[in-house]
Each structure stands twice: as C-alpha cells, then as structure tokens.
Amino acid sequence: MILFFIVGLLVHVVFFASIFDIYFTSPLVHGMAPQVTQLPPPARRLVLIVADGLRANALYEFEDNGSPRAPFLRNIIMHEGSWGISHTHVPTESRPGHVALIAGFYEDVSAVAKGWKENPVEFDSLLNESRYTWSWGSPDIVSMFAKGATGNHVFTYSYDANNEDFGAQDVTKLDTWVFDNIKEFFHAARNNQSLFSKLNEEKIVFFLHLLGIDTNGHAHRPTSREYKDNIKIVDEGVKGIVSLLKEFYGNDEKTAFIFTSDHGMTDWGSHGAGHHSETFTPFVAWGAGIKYPQKVPAQQFNDALLKEWKLEYWKRQDINQADTAPLMASLIGVPFPLNSVGILPVDYLNNTDVFKAESMFTNAKQILEQFKVKMTQKKEVTLPFLFTPFKLLSDSKQFDILRRARSYIKQRQYDEAVLLCKELIHLALEGLSYYHTYDRFFLGTSVLLGFVGWASYVSLLIIKSHSSLIRGVSKEVKKPSHLLPCGFVAIGILMAFFLLIQACPWTYYVYCLLPLPIWYAVLREYQVIQDLVTSLLTFPRRRLVGCLLACVLGIEVLVLSFFYRHMLTAGLAMMAGWPLTTELWTRAKRLSLSWTFFCLLLAVFPLMPVVGRKPDLFLVMVAGMLVLLLSLFVVTALKERKDSFVNEKLLLHLLQMLSIVLSMCVVYSTHNSLLRKQGLPLINQIVSWTVLASSLVLPLLSPRSLSGRLFSIFVSSMSAYLLLSTGYEALFPLVLSCLMFIWIHVEQGTLQQSGVSWKQKVTSGQFSYSADIAQFRQLCLDDIRRALFLVFFLVTAFFGTGNIASINSFDLASVYCFLTVFNPFVMGALMMWKILIPFVLVMCAFEAVQLTTQLSSKSLFLMVLVISDIMALHFFFLVKDYGSWLDIGTSISHYVIVMSMTIVLVFLNGLTQLLMTKKLRVCGKPKRYVV
C-alpha cells in the first residue's frame, strides 16, 4: 500500500507539474540585437511612479463630498497630460506587474516558486538600458531590477522589510519615507559634484515604488478610509516631487512623468487573479514628449466608468501594461527592452510624425528579432521533416513589410507606416505564441494518455482486488506473453531516441515515457478486462445504466460546483433526501432526520458571500461558545465515571477547552488592537503559535476509541481554526463535524449485517494500524456512493468556507493573529492549513466510515482517486489560454485545485492514519484502554 501511495503521488505530481510546462513556460529568448530609434528623444529624464495595489476607480473617482480624491493628478489629466486605464495580466502580483511595466513582458508563473521576489530567468529592462537609474521603495521590488542590471548604474534605496507590517499604526510612512528620501537626495546632490553631474546626464530614470496603498488595502480593504486617505497622501507627495524636479532642473521641460500601478485589488483586500478590480489600474502621463489633454464630444467604451469619474469629455487612451516599457524607452531614447512584447502607444506621444513612425518601426524590428530567435531555436531542435513554420510570417513577408514600411517613411506617409508596423508586430506576436506553444498538443496528448491509463489501472485494481464482480467468471489463468513487455520497451527506446535527437528538456521524457509503464500495467490485466466485459454483459441493463447515470450526474455536479457554488447547495439538498430512498428511514427515523437537518444546514454555507465579506467577530465568538458548550457536555458525561483512565481523558478535554478559550481571547484582543492601530501584541502572537502547535499534539494524547479520538481531533482543530477565522466560516467546521459524526452512524446503519448491532459497533470501534484483513469485505455498488459522498464533502469543505476557485481566494486578515509583517510563505502556509482543517475532519470521518463498514482503507481510497482524476481530466480539457484574463486564470485555478486535492488526499490519508491511530504516552508504562 505504501509503495502504491508513493507511485500514485509521483504520478499525480507529474500530472500537476505538466500544466506549467504546457501553459506556463518562460516566454523569454536571448540573443537579440538591441533596437533604438535614431532620432533625438523628447525627454532627458523619466520619472516612473508606481503606486502598488492602486485600483483605477479608487484614483479617478470623487469623494462623497464631491471633491476629487487626487486633485493634483486630476489637474494633470485635465490640463497637462494624457490618461487611461492600464490593463494588467494575471497573476496580478507585485513582481509580475513591475516586470511588465519596466521590462515589457508578462512573466511566467515560475517566479512564484521564489515568492515573486527573485529572478528565475534573467531579462533585460528599461532600467538596465538607462544610463543611470535611482530607485526608492520596497526592498522586494527595487532590488530585483538592480540584480539583473549590467554594470554599476542602477542605485537602490529601500527601507527595512519589517516595516511592511499590516498591523502597524500608520503604514503611509512607507510612502512618505520615499518622498522624504528623494528630497534629501536632491538636497545632497547640490553639494556633491559627482552626483550632480550624473543627475544632469540624459537617459536617466527615477523609479518610485509606493507600497503604502497596497499595505492599507490588505489591512483595511480598498473601501476603507485608510486606503482612500493614503491615495491623498500619494497625490500630495507626487505634487511635491514634481515641484522639486522643476526647481532642481530649472524648469527645463525635459522631464517625462508616468504614474501607474502594478495591479489593483479586490473588495476584500487581495489580488492575484483576473477580476476587473485587479486588472484595471490607472495610467497618467505628462511632461516632455507626452500629448496634452484632448477634449472629445463622446467616447465609446464598454464600461460606464467615464461618467462615474466625470471624465467623459477627456480622451481616454487605454493600454496594456507591457506597452509602458516601449513608451518610456522612446521618451528618453534608450533601446527597447530586448524581451519586451509591448506595443508603443503612439497616441500618447507629443512629437513629430516622423518620430512616431520611426519609433514604431523600431518597436516592430525589436519584436521581430524575438520571433526570429524563437523560430531558429525551435527549428534547431526539431527534425526537418517534422518542422512546421509559422506560415503567416515567412522570411519573404518579413522582408516585404519592412521594405514597404521604410518606403512609406521616406515618402512621408507616416500613418501608413505606423499601421504597417503594427500589422508586423501583431504577426510577430502571433508567431511568438505559435512557437511558444509549438509542443502543446504533443505534451497534452502524452499527459492525456497518462491520465486515462492511470484511471484505468486503478479501476482494474479495484475490480480485481476489492470486488466480487469477476469472481467465478474465468476459471483458467493464462500467462502473459513476452511480446507485450518487449513491445513496450521498444516503444520506450524509440520515444527516448526521438526526444534525444530533438534536444528536448528532461521533463518531456517524463511526460512521454510515463504513460508506457502505466499502460503496460493496464494491458497486463487483460484477463481481468476480459472477465469484466463478460460480467457486465450478464448484469441487468437497467441497473447498470442507472448506476452509470447516477455516477455521471454526481461527478458533473461536482465539476459544476467549481463554476457555481450554489450547485453544492443543490447537491446537499439531494443528499438530505437520500435516506427516504433507503430502509434507514423506517429503521432509524431520528438518525435520518438528523442527517437531513445537518445536510440542509451545511447547504446554507455555499450560499453565503465569498471571501469578499466583512469581518464579523461576533460569529467567531459564537462558534467558540458552541464548541465550549459541546465540550462541557462531554466533560459532564465523563465526570460520572470514576476510574483513573477517565480522569486522564477529563484532563485532556479541559486542556482543549482552555485552548478554545485562549483562541477566542486572542481573536478578540488582536481584532481590537488592530482597530486601534496598535499592531499585533507579542503575547497574542506567542499564544497563537502555541495553540496551533498544541492542536497537532493534543489529539495524539486521547484514547483510540472511535468517538473519543474524533471528538479530540475536532476540538483541537477548532482551536486553531478560530484563530484563522474572520467571520461565518468559523461555524463551518462545527456544522461539518456534526454531519460527519452522523455520516459514520448512517453508513453503519445502511450496512446489512445479520446479528450485529450497528449502534454497538460504532461505540466500540478502536483505531489501530494492525487491522484484521479477514474482517474486510468486498466492495459493492453502495460503496461507489460512499466514495462520491466523500469527494462531495471534500469539495464542500473548500467552497463552503467562502473560498472561490481563484488565486485571490485568500484573505490575509485570516493570519493576523500569527503575524502582520508581510511574509508570503508563512502566510501562505497558514492559509493553506486553514483550508486543510475541514479536509482533515472529513478524512478522519472517512477513516471511521471504513472501520465501521469493514472496508479496507485502500479500496474506498482508490475509488476516490478515480473520481478525482476524472474531475481533473474535465478541467484539463477546460484550461484556456484565450479569452479574458479572468477566464484564463479561473480555468487554470480549477485544474490546479483539483490536482492539488488529489495529491493532498495522499498526504491527508497518511496524516489521518497518524491522528486516528497514534497514541502518545505521557508516562513510560503502557495504558489499559477501557471503553
């Protein structure tokens, strides 16, 4: 069983990783020649101001009293510059956003492995191409561009990382620090001749990263007064910097300014996915080389934002985030970043037509260079007779478009030249995408074969080892032919040779060779397949079709629940009426009514608001009080028993009750402390981590009786869950656990066993690693329903707590009892544990169901794996790389969540075995268990 788990885990890790090789490989290529416009640029210097986490509507909208929230920037829009919305790319995180702004390309997801902080692949950027760059801001952002720069010309100034504290009294100091340090810098430059001469060079960049708005958004939500007041502070700061530079440079009008954001933020203070609140960021440009405001009678946009912002008569010019890099490069006359895929927004330029045409021509050549390198790389590693070039942009067409564009410029037909260059850019970008996804179909087919093969193998293993479906069908067993292994070995050698001569990466070998041993294992069981077909032919057709339809309906409801959370409510409502279709309704009406009640109660949670809800401390306290009342009932029952073993159990329950009380106190105290902006008290932090650690240990001190161990796990899990809760989700594990306790009794009640009282069986159950194999029975059709119930409960455990199938499903406020200083890995681990706690409760109940129904853990677990894999296969086909960023991000999130669930199930099964069977001894002598 352990070997099978290891193999299954490795197979699913490969399937999980495949999505990143197929859809998220690095788009970067190297070896291109730099391209620069051979005309004098309009600006000598550029100021890039990035307000981290600023939503477009938050900047442009008015206050309740009718005054503009950012009066200085609004004045720029109406009198000095151009404006629009910068559309960002998923994942909407700080590092990818800054890479798109400064380097001009959309970074691949491999950067997440380093917390969006380090450079997984080296790349060129505007700062690298500049003569000198000075950067101020967060150490995570300003330092990453300095590391990738060649030479000693990028200078960074940053505050300590510990200042990024969500619980700090005033996080606007992160922005005022930047403004104050810039003022000190320019004041010092007047007395430093070397620095003064550098500042008066051309092609220099000042980069200001402002983190206060993002931090306030995470801590207080974007609709809070703190977030909006921070925008006003930034607006005043920008006004001060503009005045400072005008004074320092004698108002030479050679400075270009760009104000934008790396990403937006959801209403609940998170980002990472593709919602409009995250992808719509402000873009304001003014100064040297930037076009003045243009008043228009009307504008055509699909949203109603212009009227809301009272900007319907000032021309709005939207851009893609990566378009900022070529715009900045053209303003100060440096080469376009080599890896940029941005398209120069010529409508922002206030320059001659020839400059616009030449700049667009340079942009086209720069992107075409990437296309040529990408095509050459792919051609070199592909067999000549298998290589299929991108037909829309042949060598002759490239030459023809460049020749015609140059001819238009010489003939002063600049508009035609710009249009032709844009056509070439779009073709080159399409070609880049073509070669970037060249192997996608090949890899997808290999993964598909592995998926189907694995699901088939596990299904055959269930039928062969754990069911009586094929028993007695075949009387003679034929030995497998040697031709089968030889054939698969030959195919493997040919496949490896094919990949070797094409210089494919090692991951391609894994994806392409993995299906071979899986399908060999499937075809080795040809006798089982033959017997299965024979058995199914004798099976009543109506019953067979009915079972298949029920399974298909159950799986499709599960798949649809990822898109529509209310499908879980519908599913739970159907499950609530399930006892009416069984004999359980007549034999145990009270149990059936309890099942129906808690199913319907649990069905309420998927209808509740998603993570965008407001914190509700009252509901967290109510959940804690209900757990305490339940624990008090158990303690009262234990006190009636007099032996020493009961005293040990009583002491353990009292410790767990103390943990619940401490969790409630810490949540209440931390919430009030953060409201008063006094930060996270150290004592609260210590208690939180102590309670979290004890929640993993205390259940191991409880007796291994079924009810005792389950209750101990529940109470300990709730103590940790309360610390991670902000609202109604604190009640969810309580309701879920009640339903799980009833589920254990219901499943025992449905099992037809003569002479065995199911009530007695549940109360006398003991968990142990050494199970009696002779007690295990064969699978029946009803066990498929049990497996479907488990998967349904697991999906409900995720979506029922207000999560959505998206990367922005996580609310940072959940971890404020543990830490408030930004740490992506620790915060991510804590939020992951919050998600896993309901999973652990379901898996523990599942372990108890297996015990009470006399099923081996392997048999039901294998069925669950098959169901999960079928769901994952659904989402594998539903992954999109086209459409809106919301659609793309959501489709990928679905696949990642289902595959993660499959992999996590393997770990959870082991964790559940540990929690349910391991017994820690406080004293050295063995204990005697009495039930």
Side-chain angles (χ1 to χ4, degrees):
M1 186 63 176
I2 295 176
L3 179 62
F4 178 82
F5 274 165
I6 294 172
V7 172
L9 180 62
L10 291 175
V11 168
H12 284 88
V13 166
V14 171
F15 291 159
F16 179 81
S18 68
I19 198 71
F20 300 108
D21 261 332
I22 295 173
Y23 293 96
F24 281 123
T25 51
S26 176
L28 298 187
V29 289
H30 299 89
M32 293 80 66
Q35 303 292 327
V36 63
T37 304
Q38 301 299 327
L39 288 174
R44 292 176 61 86
R45 67 200 70 90
L46 171 81
V47 180
L48 173 62
I49 306 168
V50 180
D52 202 307
L54 177 59
R55 309 200 304 192
N57 68 312
L59 179 75
Y60 295 140
E61 68 187 7
F62 283 73
E63 294 285 6
D64 294 336
N65 60 9
S67 63
R69 180 163 297 145
F72 175 75
L73 288 170
R74 177 163 284 268
N75 182 69
I76 292 291
I77 292 171
M78 300 176 73
H79 298 101
E80 295 185 38
S82 297
W83 77 285
I85 289 177
S86 173
H87 297 269
T88 67
H89 191 299
V90 288
T92 45
E93 298 289 346
S94 290
R95 178 195 161 91
H98 282 87
V99 170
L101 286 169
I102 298 173
F105 72 92
Y106 301 109
E107 192 170 33
D108 60 288
V109 82
S110 62
V112 76
K114 298 190 176 183
W116 302 118
K117 292 183 179 181
E118 299 294 330
N119 297 351
V121 180
E122 292 302 326
F123 56 86
D124 188 29
S125 72
L126 175 85
L127 307 190
N128 186 46
E129 296 291 354
S130 68
R131 182 161 296 169
Y132 294 109
T133 292
W134 289 270
S135 305
W136 294 267
S138 167
D140 298 336
I141 299 299
V142 298
S143 61
M144 71 180 183
F145 293 102
K147 291 177 183 176
T150 56
N152 186 25
H153 69 281
V154 177
F155 309 100
T156 62
Y157 304 89
S158 58
Y159 39 75
D160 188 85
N162 290 326
N163 290 341
E164 301 174 15
D165 188 348
F166 298 122
Q169 185 172 3
D170 182 18
V171 297
T172 59
K173 64 185 179 183
L174 300 176
D175 296 338
T176 54
W177 182 95
V178 172
F179 297 130
D180 292 342
N181 273 262
I182 293 174
K183 291 174 183 176
E184 292 174 9
F185 172 81
F186 278 97
H187 179 73
R190 297 182 185 277
N191 302 316
N192 186 328
Q193 188 58 42
S194 173
L195 178 59
F196 187 83
S197 63
K198 288 179 180 178
L199 288 172
N200 281 279
E201 294 274 2
E202 59 182 14
K203 301 178 181 179
I204 63 174
V205 177
F206 301 107
F207 171 37
L208 285 64
H209 176 248
L210 308 174
L211 188 63
I213 293 174
D214 182 75
T215 308
N216 260 319
H218 285 307
H220 305 288
R221 309 294 189 270
T223 55
S224 65
R225 190 70 261 164
E226 290 83 357
Y227 185 88
K228 295 173 182 177
D229 287 344
N230 204 151
I231 296 174
K232 291 183 177 181
I233 290 172
V234 166
D235 184 67
E236 280 294 319
V238 172
K239 180 181 179 181
I241 295 302
V242 171
S243 299
L244 175 69
L245 290 173
K246 282 183 178 180
E247 180 187 350
F248 185 86
Y249 288 108
N251 201 18
D252 65 353
E253 297 185 351
K254 287 293 182 180
T255 308
F257 296 89
I258 288 179
F259 179 90
T260 186
S261 175
D262 53 348
H263 57 75
M265 189 171 288
T266 62
D267 289 338
W268 54 91
S270 70
H271 51 82
H275 192 268
H276 294 324
S277 60
E278 299 164 273
T279 60
F280 281 23
T281 58
F283 188 85
V284 184
W286 70 99
I290 298 296
K291 191 173 288 186
Y292 288 104
Q294 303 170 67
K295 295 200 75 172
V296 291
Q299 301 187 69
Q300 297 296 324
F301 283 95
N302 292 329
D303 51 60
L305 299 174
L306 286 170
K307 193 170 184 180
E308 179 186 336
W309 299 336
K310 300 181 182 178
L311 289 169
E312 57 265 45
Y313 302 119
W314 278 266
K315 188 176 181 181
R316 167 181 157 186
Q317 302 176 72
D318 287 9
I319 64 170
N320 289 317
Q321 193 173 45
D323 300 342
T324 308
L327 174 63
M328 295 189 295
S330 67
L331 287 172
I332 57 174
V334 299
F336 286 30
L338 295 175
N339 304 113
S340 172
V341 294
I343 303 174
L344 176 65
V346 288
D347 290 338
Y348 270 88
L349 293 177
N350 181 24
N351 212 315
T352 61
D353 289 340
V354 64
F355 181 85
K356 294 179 183 178
E358 286 287 357
S359 297
M360 186 58 76
F361 187 77
T362 304
N363 192 188
K365 285 172 60 180
Q366 172 259 324
I367 293 177
L368 185 62
E369 278 288 313
Q370 295 182 71
F371 169 79
K372 289 179 178 178
V373 171
K374 194 82 172 178
M375 181 181 68
T376 302
Q377 288 180 351
K378 187 55 62 180
K379 197 171 184 179
E380 287 175 351
V381 297
T382 306
L383 294 174
F385 65 91
L386 290 177
F387 180 72
T388 307
F390 182 63
K391 296 177 181 178
L392 296 179
L393 194 57
S394 60
D395 292 342
S396 59
K397 187 161 185 178
Q398 295 173 34
F399 178 79
D400 180 60
I401 293 177
L402 289 174
R403 180 188 58 78
R404 287 166 55 202
R406 177 53 63 191
S407 174
Y408 281 140
I409 293 173
K410 286 181 179 179
Q411 296 170 17
R412 298 185 179 182
Q413 297 178 9
Y414 302 119
D415 291 341
E416 288 80 359
V418 168
L419 289 174
L420 197 59
C421 289
K422 285 185 177 179
E423 179 189 343
L424 178 58
I425 288 173
H426 288 299
L427 285 173
L429 290 175
E430 194 177 336
L432 272 173
S433 177
Y434 172 80
Y435 288 117
H436 184 59
T437 59
Y438 191 82
D439 297 326
R440 182 170 293 180
F441 178 77
F442 173 66
L443 292 176
T445 303
S446 299
V447 173
L448 173 63
L449 287 172
F451 250 124
V452 176
W454 174 257
S456 302
Y457 174 70
V458 175
S459 300
L460 290 174
L461 193 62
I462 295 170
I463 294 167
K464 178 184 178 182
S465 306
H466 302 281
S467 78
S468 56
L469 191 63
I470 61 171
R471 292 181 182 272
V473 175
S474 178
K475 294 184 178 178
E476 60 175 282
V477 179
K478 299 178 182 178
K479 292 184 179 180
S481 169
H482 292 292
L483 187 62
L484 187 65
C486 292
F488 273 93
V489 169
I491 294 171
I493 293 171
L494 288 173
M495 180 64 71
F497 181 71
F498 172 76
L499 297 172
L500 182 65
I501 61 177
Q502 295 201 113
C504 293
W506 66 270
T507 51
Y508 282 40
Y509 290 83
V510 177
Y511 303 140
C512 296
L513 296 178
L514 181 63
L516 294 177
I518 293 176
W519 277 104
Y520 171 68
V522 171
L523 295 180
R524 275 190 64 188
E525 306 294 342
Y526 68 93
Q527 189 66 55
V528 178
I529 298 171
Q530 183 181 341
D531 293 347
L532 175 62
V533 172
T534 305
S535 178
L536 290 177
L537 290 174
T538 61
F539 205 80
R541 287 193 178 181
R542 271 189 189 175
R543 193 178 177 194
L544 179 63
V545 171
C547 291
L548 287 174
L549 286 176
C551 291
V552 170
L553 178 64
I555 292 174
E556 292 306 315
V557 168
L558 288 168
V559 170
L560 285 172
S561 66
F562 279 71
F563 299 94
Y564 313 103
R565 292 173 69 239
H566 58 262
M567 289 301 298
L568 291 172
T569 300
L572 286 166
M574 287 190 288
M575 289 170 65
W578 165 71
L580 294 172
T581 64
T582 66
E583 295 181 5
L584 193 66
W585 181 255
T586 55
R587 289 194 295 110
K589 189 162 288 188
R590 183 181 297 177
L591 182 63
S592 300
L593 288 172
S594 300
W595 166 268
T596 301
F597 172 75
F598 280 104
C599 275
L600 293 176
L601 190 58
L602 194 66
V604 173
F605 286 91
L607 299 176
M608 300 291 281
V610 293
V611 285
R613 58 189 176 266
K614 291 182 179 179
D616 193 334
L617 194 65
F618 174 74
L619 291 178
V620 180
M621 295 296 107
V622 168
M625 289 302 299
L626 289 174
V627 176
L628 282 176
L629 288 173
L630 196 58
S631 300
L632 196 61
F633 175 77
V634 172
V635 168
T636 305
L638 284 174
K639 284 184 70 176
E640 297 176 1
R641 302 173 67 176
K642 303 291 185 181
D643 55 76
S644 59
F645 177 60
V646 167
N647 290 334
E648 181 187 330
K649 289 173 66 177
L650 185 61
L651 179 62
L652 177 64
H653 280 302
L654 290 174
L655 280 174
Q656 290 178 318
M657 290 175 68
L658 177 62
S659 294
I660 296 291
V661 172
L662 287 173
S663 296
M664 293 171 65
C665 293
V666 167
V667 170
Y668 183 80
S669 171
T670 301
H671 179 77
N672 288 333
S673 179
L674 293 177
L675 278 181
R676 294 192 300 267
K677 297 184 179 180
Q678 295 178 353
L680 173 62
L682 180 61
I683 185 66
N684 289 20
Q685 198 170 12
I686 294 171
V687 171
S688 296
W689 286 106
T690 304
V691 169
L692 179 64
S694 67
S695 69
L696 299 172
V697 177
L698 289 179
L700 303 179
L701 298 173
S702 65
R704 284 186 296 216
S705 63
L706 188 149
S707 57
R709 179 58 64 93
L710 283 176
F711 187 77
S712 180
I713 292 170
F714 160 66
V715 178
S716 290
S717 299
M718 279 301 299
S719 64
Y721 201 84
L722 288 173
L723 292 170
L724 294 164
S725 298
T726 60
Y728 73 81
E729 80 272 19
L731 294 165
F732 180 80
L734 177 61
V735 178
L736 180 68
S737 297
C738 291
L739 183 58
M740 292 299 99
F741 273 101
I742 296 168
W743 184 35
I744 297 167
H745 289 79
V746 164
E747 292 297 354
Q748 176 62 30
T750 57
L751 190 65
Q752 300 299 320
Q753 285 185 334
S754 57
V756 178
S757 169
W758 60 270
K759 183 72 179 175
Q760 181 184 0
K761 181 73 178 179
V762 171
T763 55
S764 61
Q766 290 274 340
F767 290 112
S768 173
Y769 271 123
S770 55
D772 185 4
I773 299 176
Q775 288 185 353
F776 295 152
R777 61 177 176 80
Q778 294 297 313
L779 291 174
C780 61
L781 284 176
D782 208 31
D783 293 320
I784 300 176
R785 175 194 54 76
R786 292 186 176 96
L788 277 169
F789 272 19
L790 172 65
V791 179
F792 196 90
F793 286 137
L794 288 172
V795 174
T796 305
F798 180 80
F799 291 105
T801 55
N803 296 309
I804 54 177
S806 168
I807 195 172
N808 68 11
S809 181
F810 313 116
D811 186 358
L812 287 179
S814 300
V815 303
Y816 286 169
C817 288
F818 296 89
L819 76 164
T820 53
V821 177
F822 182 64
N823 187 319
F825 291 113
V826 176
M827 288 179 165
L830 287 169
M831 289 188 285
M832 188 57 65
W833 182 239
K834 179 183 178 181
I835 289 173
L836 287 179
I837 286 174
F839 278 61
V840 170
L841 294 174
V842 173
M843 288 298 292
C844 288
F846 182 52
E847 187 75 16
V849 167
Q850 292 175 126
L851 174 69
T852 58
T853 57
Q854 294 184 332
L855 274 173
S856 68
S857 60
K858 184 178 179 181
S859 58
L860 272 181
F861 187 71
L862 289 177
M863 286 196 294
V864 170
L865 281 181
V866 172
I867 294 169
S868 300
D869 285 338
I870 293 172
M871 290 174 61
L873 198 56
H874 271 74
F875 292 118
F876 184 79
F877 285 113
L878 291 173
V879 170
K880 294 180 179 179
D881 63 342
Y882 58 88
S884 71
W885 295 127
L886 180 60
D887 293 337
I888 295 170
T890 302
S891 68
I892 293 168
S893 297
H894 288 161
Y895 180 77
V896 170
I897 289 170
V898 175
M899 285 307 300
S900 298
M901 186 176 75
T902 307
I903 295 170
V904 166
L905 276 178
V906 179
F907 284 112
L908 283 180
N909 193 68
L911 177 62
T912 302
Q913 289 277 345
L914 175 68
L915 288 173
M916 299 291 276
T917 59
K918 190 68 178 175
K919 177 74 167 70
L920 293 181
R921 294 174 180 172
V922 180
C923 303
K925 59 181 181 179
K927 301 287 181 182
R928 199 166 152 264
Y929 298 155
V930 181
V931 180

